[in-house]
Amino acid sequence: MQIQSFLSIAEQFKVVFLDSYGVLKNYNGLIHGVRHTIDFLRSRDIIIRVLTNDASRSQLQQAESFHRLGLHDIQEHEIITSGMMAKQFLEQKITNGKIAYLGTENSAHYILQSGLEHIPLRDIDLRNLDDISALVFLDDEGFDWNTDITKTVNLLRHKNLPVIVANSDKFYPVSKNEVAVGTGGIAKLIENMLDRKFIHFGKPDSQMFIYAYDELNSTGNYNRSEILMVGDTLQADILGGNKFGVKTTLVLSGNTSREDAPLQIRSSGIIPDYICESILT
């Protein structure tokens, strides 16, 4: 496994797509040295876009979070979230009834702004589902796992609904050696139980890549060969970039460690074009 210098790779491209968690920040906050790397990319006139599977906050809230961590020049338009994609889908496809959701009130307020009424799963009466028109998995907080996941299964057994998974991440790191179950993992469990396939947003699906690419080419002229995707997770970031047809860099500063990377690459068949310790050198 050849470890290369990120900065020498990045300067070969006109655009760099960056994952957020594990690349720019982690459980301790902003990864040390990231500001220098962002300054380096901007000094080379390399366009930056942050592609994140975080569905709980708007672009503005995401930008403000980076500013609080000390990354002051990340702009709202430079951030693309899976929540944006889910929100667009709901606005276009769900035109009546109530949208049930698993997650926090904050994430529901952001995504479910289409004008339709939304209701937390815990408040649904399974004996009266006539006005429920869709179900959205938003995040892994804001509900009682012990009761609400079971209730979700029974809701979907009783009524055939479109189900939207706003964040496909199955888990996320909470310390150097530990992870927490993500909403994508909960959704996958229920998919397997019911033998159903939900509508997933976020990497590795291509919606965010398409959105970012179209937005870039609305004001410029960029080819996929000029774009580099950088992420810490093979099954999300690297697979998503590979599927979209851009070069990919796996960094070992997040979900994938130096020790585990060779085995994960061999067992998954997901092969990054480059591997770097982080985006710092």
Side-chain angles (χ1 to χ4, degrees):
M1 184 176 72
Q2 183 181 5
I3 307 295
Q4 297 179 255
S5 162
F6 174 75
L7 298 184
S8 65
I9 295 167
E11 61 184 351
Q12 303 172 41
F13 295 87
K14 292 184 178 181
V15 180
V16 174
F17 291 166
L18 297 162
D19 181 35
S20 176
Y21 205 93
V23 177
L24 299 176
K25 60 182 180 179
N26 60 22
Y27 50 89
N28 283 324
L30 200 67
I31 294 175
H32 178 71
V34 161
R35 281 190 295 268
H36 168 75
T37 298
I38 298 300
D39 290 343
F40 173 87
L41 297 176
R42 296 202 191 280
S43 73
R44 299 298 196 277
D45 294 323
I46 297 170
I47 293 174
I48 295 168
R49 293 293 183 268
V50 179
L51 273 60
T52 174
N53 278 3
D54 185 349
S56 63
R57 291 176 291 181
S58 68
Q59 288 171 287
L60 176 60
Q61 290 172 320
Q62 295 276 355
E64 290 173 342
S65 175
F66 280 119
H67 298 167
R68 288 193 296 272
L69 291 174
L71 201 57
H72 299 292
D73 65 341
I74 293 290
Q75 302 299 308
E76 182 178 347
H77 76 275
E78 294 179 313
I79 301 171
I80 299 162
T81 76
S82 60
M84 292 169 56
M85 306 299 103
K87 183 172 181 290
Q88 283 186 346
F89 176 88
L90 289 166
E91 288 174 342
Q92 294 168 2
K93 298 292 187 179
I94 309 300
T95 58
N96 55 68
K98 295 179 181 178
I99 300 174
Y101 69 88
L102 274 170
T104 63
E105 298 286 347
N106 184 61
S107 59
H109 176 74
Y110 163 53
I111 292 179
L112 305 177
Q113 292 175 339
S114 61
L116 293 178
E117 185 178 352
H118 46 273
I119 179 172
L121 197 285
R122 64 178 177 271
D123 292 342
I124 290 177
D125 182 352
L126 292 178
R127 297 166 299 182
N128 182 14
L129 301 175
D130 291 345
D131 58 351
I132 305 299
S133 56
L135 172 66
V136 185
F137 288 83
L138 293 176
D139 54 46
D140 61 302
E141 299 178 333
F143 60 91
D144 183 335
W145 285 39
N146 187 47
T147 59
D148 288 357
I149 293 177
T150 298
K151 194 171 185 179
T152 298
V153 172
N154 283 301
L155 167 64
L156 296 176
R157 288 179 66 248
H158 294 324
K159 187 170 184 179
N160 189 20
L161 298 169
V163 182
I164 295 91
V165 183
N167 181 344
S168 294
D169 286 349
K170 296 177 183 177
F171 59 86
Y172 57 92
V174 293
S175 70
K176 184 177 181 180
N177 298 312
E178 296 183 352
V179 299
V181 177
T183 189
I186 299 169
K188 182 62 68 176
L189 168 67
I190 297 176
E191 282 182 313
N192 290 337
M193 292 173 65
L194 298 177
D195 195 23
R196 285 193 53 183
K197 184 66 177 175
F198 301 155
I199 303 166
H200 287 255
F201 292 94
K203 299 164 291 184
D205 296 296
S206 295
Q207 297 98 331
M208 277 198 288
F209 293 93
I210 294 169
Y211 182 95
Y213 187 68
D214 289 346
E215 183 262 337
L216 287 169
N217 281 299
S218 68
T219 56
N221 184 20
Y222 300 94
N223 298 315
R224 298 188 191 200
S225 61
E226 298 171 316
I227 299 172
L228 177 68
M229 175 66 210
V230 184
D232 68 315
T233 305
L234 287 169
Q235 289 81 2
D237 308 310
I238 305 306
L239 178 58
N242 288 350
K243 287 168 60 178
F244 190 65
V246 299
K247 294 290 187 181
T248 56
T249 294
L250 175 69
V251 294
L252 308 177
S253 52
N255 273 322
T256 307
S257 68
R258 175 190 272 267
E259 294 76 20
D260 294 340
L263 177 59
Q264 288 191 27
I265 291 170
R266 287 196 302 271
S267 62
S268 68
I270 303 169
I271 303 173
D273 294 288
Y274 312 100
I275 301 175
C276 302
E277 288 287 355
S278 69
I279 66 169
L280 308 186
T281 59

